Structure formats: structure tokens, C-alpha cells
Amino acid sequence: SPFRGSLVGDFLNTNGGYVVELFFIISGFVIYNAYSERIRDGKCIFTRFLSDRIIRLYPTVIITVIVICIFMWTGYALYNEPITENANVSIIAIILNVAGLNGGTISEAAGMSVNGPSWYISVLLVCYVLFFLIIKLCRQSEGMENACFVFLIIVGIFLYFHPIQVPFLLMSSARGYVFFFIGVLIAKLQQRVDWRGKILLCTMSIALVFMYAFAYNYDLIINNGLEAGLAVVCPIVIFFINFTPIEYICRNKVVKFLGGISYGVFMWNMPVFIGVLFVERICGASFDYKDVLTYIIIVSINLVCGAISYILIDKKLVNKIKQIRVKNEDKERKVSEK
């Protein structure tokens, strides 16, 4: 980033990665509100639940993997060396990534990932499966349901300090377990608070952020990733959910559109950067990545790719796949009725 050395630039470079915790919390919050009652009532079966999530997420994953492979393989064919070491495009890595078993689930090694950021999707799918099983198995006991969610959060906190290098018990998995299920608990809490509770939650959120700032300033932080998530990201989410004027901002079409393209921007970050490296190599140029204009151009390309991905993949392609599934289900139902 060209903004290193400035207060805001250094802060974003150091803490920008915690936006992933924000995404996990929002995912847990949204998925509980959207599916919990339907799962308890038996209106949503596991195969339908999981296929919905896969159809929503995986077209973008697969297409970005294909784009990265094209850049990397072409670059290797032309120059007999990879464009970058940050993407593994071996057949094994491709199969693992398409199967949702890349870095974050079976290994922390970067060599397991074609599109590095997609580790988030792999961990998220694991959290979705655990969420469904807990809601389904504990549907007769809310206390047991809450205990299971808390248990997974505790497991995640343990893994922050003592990650186990076995599948699904990695540091990346811990980030999902803690913050996805905190998002679920926040959703459950929101169903019970009135306006006075909202004021109290907003006040507590602000206090937590100040406490973290105090601890950070006096080097009292033990695990910054965990504590920043718990004492900064969580309070921010809780504050935004309970601060009523935010609702009007979030209803704005521009804000909704930015929310819509955010997944695409996240997933196209790596392909865009590899594409820039490829162009740089083809043209024999040497881009100055500390230059503000270069930075703005790359970010703009990333935003455009995210917007195109949202329109063509997240909307049109995903809807088309859903329509095909509905038609197949109708045919199967008619056959069974006969």
C-alpha cells in the first residue's frame, strides 16, 4: 500500500485482515435469522440447505480458480516460471479448492490454495454444516442449542492459543468457530431486546472498544487477533445493529449495492493482482506499487470485477442454476406422483 507511514494507512495495513471476522459474524447473524425456524420446523432439509449455500458461493470460487490457472499456466508456458508464488495451480490444489478443502480446513499451508482468500469459504461451509446439525439435533432444547454454540466458541478460543495441525482444528478454523457462532448468538440476543436493551448494548459496545484501545496502548494484549475480534469487531457489529439511524443508511441503494459486490471484490482480489503481475511481465514493465495512482487503478479494477461478478455470476448464473434445479425437482415430483 502507498499509504504506509500514515496513521490510517498503517492502521489498515495492520488490522485490515480482521474484516474477515466481521464477515463471519454477519454470516452467523444472517444465517440464523434466515434458516433457524425453518430447520426446527423441518421445512428445510440438510441437502437443500447445503446445496443452497454451495450454489450461492461456489460459482465464483470455481470461476476465479479458472482465471488464476489461465494466468499462471500461460505465464509458466511463456517464461518457464510462475508469475507469483502465492498461488498453487497444481491438479491436486485445484481439486482440493473446487471441493472446498483448501487452506483453512485441511492445512494452513498456502500451497494448498489456488485463490488464497477462498479459505474463508471453506471454513464458512464447515460452520454452516455445524450450525444445521446443532439446530436440528437440539430443536427440543434451546438451552442445549446455546450450550453447543458456546462450546464451539470455546473450542475456537482454545485453537487461537493452541492450534492443532489437523484438519478442521487449525487457526483459520478457529476464526470461523469463534466469530460465526458469536454472530449466531448475537442474532438470538437481538430477538429479545427492546429499545432500552438496544441503548445498553450500544453503550457497552463503545465501552469495549475503549477498553481494547487502553489495553493495546499499554501492551496488555495477549492475542491481538482474538481480542481485536472480540473487543472491536463484535462491538462494532452490535452497535450498528442496535443504532437505529444506521437502518436508514443501510437502506440506501448505493450501500446495498456495495454490500452485494463485497463477496465478488473479496474473491477477485487475488485474480486481479495476478492479472496485473501477468500484464507487467508481458509488457516488460515495472509498476510502482507504492504509487497512489497504481494503487487506485488496481483497486478500481478489483471493484469493477466485483460488480461484474455480482451481476453476471451472483445474480444471473446463480439464478439460472436455481431455475434448473427447480425444474428437475418438478420432474422428479411428477414422476413420483405417477
Side-chain angles (χ1 to χ4, degrees), residues 149-161:
F149 292 141
V150 171
F151 173 75
L152 285 170
I153 293 171
I154 292 171
V155 169
I157 291 173
F158 173 82
L159 293 174
Y160 262 93
F161 294 97

Side-chain angles (χ1 to χ4, degrees), residues 15 58 64 88 113 137 141 169 190 270 337-338:
N15 302 292
Y58 264 76
T64 55
N88 180 358
S113 292
L137 296 175
S141 173
L169 294 176
Q190 284 303 121
M270 179 72 78
E337 289 175 353
K338 289 180 180 179

Side-chain angles (χ1 to χ4, degrees), residues 35-71:
Y35 280 96
S36 59
E37 288 302 319
R38 292 163 60 187
I39 295 171
R40 290 192 190 101
D41 297 340
K43 295 178 180 178
C44 179
I45 61 174
F46 179 73
T47 52
R48 184 58 180 261
F49 171 79
L50 191 59
S51 66
D52 280 347
R53 314 284 21 98
I54 291 173
I55 290 172
R56 167 66 183 89
L57 298 171
Y58 264 76
T60 305
V61 171
I62 293 170
I63 291 172
T64 55
V65 165
I66 292 171
V67 170
I68 289 174
C69 287
I70 291 172
F71 280 131

